Amino acid sequence: MLLLPSEAPHRDASGPPRPAGRPPSSLPAASAPPPAMKTILAAYSGVLKGTGSGILSALQNRPSAFWPRRSKMEKHLQVFSVLQWVITFLALGAVCSVLLLYIFCTDCWLIAAIYTTWLILDWNTPKQGKCSTGSPTFSHAGSTGPAGYWFLSVGSTYHWGRRSSWVRSWTVWTYFRDYFPIRLIKTHNLLPNRNYIFGYHPHGIFCFGAFCNFGTEATGFSKKFPGIRPSLATLAGNFRLPVLRDYLMSGGICPVNKNSIDYLLSQNGSGNAVIIVIGGAAESLQCAPGMNSVTLKNRKGFVRLALQKGSDLVPVYSFGENDVYKQVIFEEGSYWRMWQKRLQKILGFAPCLFHGCGLFCSSSWGIVPFCKPITTIVGEPITVPKIEDPTAEMVDLYHEMYIKSLLSLFEKYKARFGLKESDVLHIQ
């Protein structure tokens, strides 16, 4: 039988004859490899021939549908970087203490004994430079009881702890910074031949701005203030907990200790700074989104210290620090507020009832902070003379100068970072 040209079987260059009238697309799906496999085969063929750049680069050039979106992966890394710090600060010390006691009750008790022996011998490492025994609590600004806030020590020479530039430069802190995000704004140069006391405002719940800007290199502190190395300090009780103390010291964090602070400002040369979150635990009980209030009116201890050491005062304000968590604020005189203040005196920090968003859903409740930008402004230094025994009038004078400088800093930058022109900073 003769076949017309349109009915003749078609033959592909690389396959058997196909029946007439059947389009190539009607062939079984198994005859054509998937696009991803074609990419791999093409890349492998190129490598064999010496003309390809490699399988990995070929896969990286695949459309986004083949790989998870880069932005989504980065967001997950940002969330986990913040979450690890929150959990570390809240639970690492307690968990490691319980684990150490448990190991004592197992066949591995020798490991726990060796670590405990080393812990005892290394007990004073976080507070080296302490010249006398006594309570590690540093009283400030006329307050009584333990200090429930952060300190930051900045200097060119250090004689305590085990600071690690490698830990401070971890990539995890970059993801930590980008989650909110957090920025550090420099307004004036800091001379390395002077010592400084920074007043950080407001406290917030976890002082994310203070930690990220001054406890890591994520925002480039060393580049913006060359010749000055930051070293963050927190409650001395954190350095009594196993593993947590070593983790903190590796980041250049040291305990709040009066003798250590005195050493930095008087015996460690120039180019040092101590940064104090002035409001402390009392201020953390009042922080809430949209609230612009600092506890400062009766806090004068840091001014007296600056006069005694001849250290310049520098106001620092973080816009957005209060916005990353929502908190239940109890009224003054209520039963719950009474218990908060009582626990604050016992523990050294304020037990706040707060919440953020959930790990997998931003609309749910959890301990992950909200993605709100935090911008830290380092203000202009106030030159302070050295007076070993300043009078109350002198302390009041420089305290008033500091308040005016802080208010001026707030007014100058508030409109640039999300606040209204009508917003004011309340001094309590």
Side-chain angles (χ1 to χ4, degrees):
M1 181 178 63
L2 295 177
L3 296 176
L4 298 176
S6 60
E7 298 176 345
H10 298 276
R11 179 183 298 271
D12 293 333
S14 58
R18 56 181 172 84
R22 177 182 295 181
S25 59
S26 61
L27 291 175
S31 63
M37 184 59 66
K38 288 183 177 180
T39 302
I40 297 175
L41 293 175
Y44 181 68
S45 176
V47 170
L48 293 180
K49 297 177 180 178
T51 60
S53 58
I55 297 177
L56 182 59
S57 60
L59 290 176
Q60 290 175 340
N61 292 329
R62 286 288 304 154
S64 59
F66 184 72
W67 295 106
R69 289 190 304 172
R70 181 179 179 87
S71 60
K72 190 173 183 179
M73 292 180 64
E74 288 184 348
K75 189 60 180 180
H76 290 330
L77 291 173
Q78 291 169 8
V79 171
F80 282 109
S81 66
V82 174
L83 186 62
Q84 67 85 22
W85 169 247
V86 173
I87 294 177
T88 294
F89 190 77
L90 291 177
L92 180 62
V95 170
C96 291
S97 298
V98 173
L99 182 61
L100 185 64
L101 292 176
Y102 171 76
I103 295 177
F104 265 114
C105 302
T106 66
D107 294 336
C108 300
W109 64 269
L110 183 59
I111 298 176
I114 293 174
Y115 180 81
T116 303
T117 302
W118 176 82
L119 187 64
I120 295 173
L121 296 175
D122 192 60
W123 192 255
N124 290 326
T125 297
K127 52 184 178 181
Q128 286 177 3
K130 182 178 174 64
C131 59
S132 62
T133 59
S135 173
T137 300
F138 175 59
S139 299
H140 67 90
S143 66
T144 58
Y149 45 76
W150 296 78
F151 283 75
L152 174 84
S153 307
V154 183
S156 56
T157 305
Y158 294 85
H159 296 273
W160 73 73
R162 285 183 290 272
R163 177 191 179 94
S164 172
S165 299
W166 174 65
V167 173
R168 290 176 52 84
S169 301
W170 276 354
T171 305
V172 67
W173 307 130
T174 302
Y175 290 114
F176 182 98
R177 174 201 66 196
D178 294 340
Y179 173 81
F180 295 94
I182 297 175
R183 296 171 57 194
L184 178 65
I185 304 298
K186 170 185 174 181
T187 61
H188 292 79
N189 292 326
L190 295 182
L191 301 178
N193 61 348
R194 294 288 297 175
N195 288 329
Y196 303 92
I197 292 181
F198 285 24
Y200 184 90
H201 311 270
H203 183 283
I205 298 294
F206 282 104
C207 291
F208 287 116
F211 170 73
C212 185
N213 287 310
F214 308 121
T216 75
E217 289 297 328
T219 55
F221 182 91
S222 296
K223 294 180 180 179
K224 294 178 181 180
F225 299 96
I228 300 178
R229 296 187 307 163
S231 181
L232 187 64
T234 183
L235 292 174
N238 291 326
F239 296 88
R240 303 188 186 107
L241 301 174
V243 181
L244 176 63
R245 66 192 297 275
D246 303 291
Y247 185 43
L248 295 177
M249 282 192 292
S250 67
I253 300 176
C254 61
V256 176
N257 180 279
K258 186 177 185 299
N259 292 288
S260 297
I261 302 302
D262 289 343
Y263 175 82
L264 279 171
L265 296 177
S266 60
Q267 303 179 36
N268 198 38
S270 59
N272 306 293
V274 176
I275 288 144
I276 308 172
V277 180
I278 307 297
E283 189 174 270
S284 67
L285 293 175
Q286 298 292 340
C287 67
M291 182 172 291
N292 306 307
S293 175
V294 298
T295 303
L296 179 60
K297 185 176 296 184
N298 296 320
R299 302 295 176 97
K300 301 179 181 180
F302 72 102
V303 178
R304 181 178 297 275
L305 180 62
L307 287 166
Q308 291 173 343
K309 304 303 177 182
S311 302
D312 295 346
L313 292 169
V314 181
V316 179
Y317 194 88
S318 276
F319 293 92
E321 185 72 61
N322 286 341
D323 298 336
V324 296
Y325 281 115
K326 294 181 180 179
Q327 180 182 189
V328 177
I329 300 179
F330 300 103
E331 295 183 1
E332 290 292 339
S334 65
Y335 175 82
W336 293 108
R337 176 51 63 93
M338 179 188 67
W339 272 104
Q340 282 182 318
K341 291 185 176 181
R342 182 171 298 181
L343 290 174
Q344 174 189 335
K345 292 181 179 180
I346 297 174
L347 302 175
F349 62 89
C352 303
L353 185 60
F354 65 91
H355 76 86
C357 59
L359 179 60
F360 301 105
C361 181
S362 59
S363 60
S364 62
W365 286 18
I367 61 173
V368 179
F370 296 109
C371 298
K372 301 294 184 179
I374 299 176
T375 305
T376 302
I377 312 294
V378 179
E380 181 179 3
I382 302 172
T383 303
V384 177
K386 184 176 182 180
I387 304 175
E388 293 185 0
D389 188 17
T391 62
E393 291 75 14
M394 186 65 68
V395 172
D396 291 340
L397 174 63
Y398 281 92
H399 183 257
E400 187 65 26
M401 291 173 60
Y402 179 86
I403 292 178
K404 290 181 179 179
S405 181
L406 177 64
L407 290 172
S408 176
L409 184 70
F410 179 85
E411 291 295 326
K412 183 178 180 180
Y413 290 96
K414 65 180 181 181
R416 302 185 190 181
F417 301 110
L419 299 183
K420 301 176 182 178
E421 289 291 347
S422 58
D423 290 334
V424 296
L425 180 62
H426 300 280
I427 306 296
Q428 297 182 348

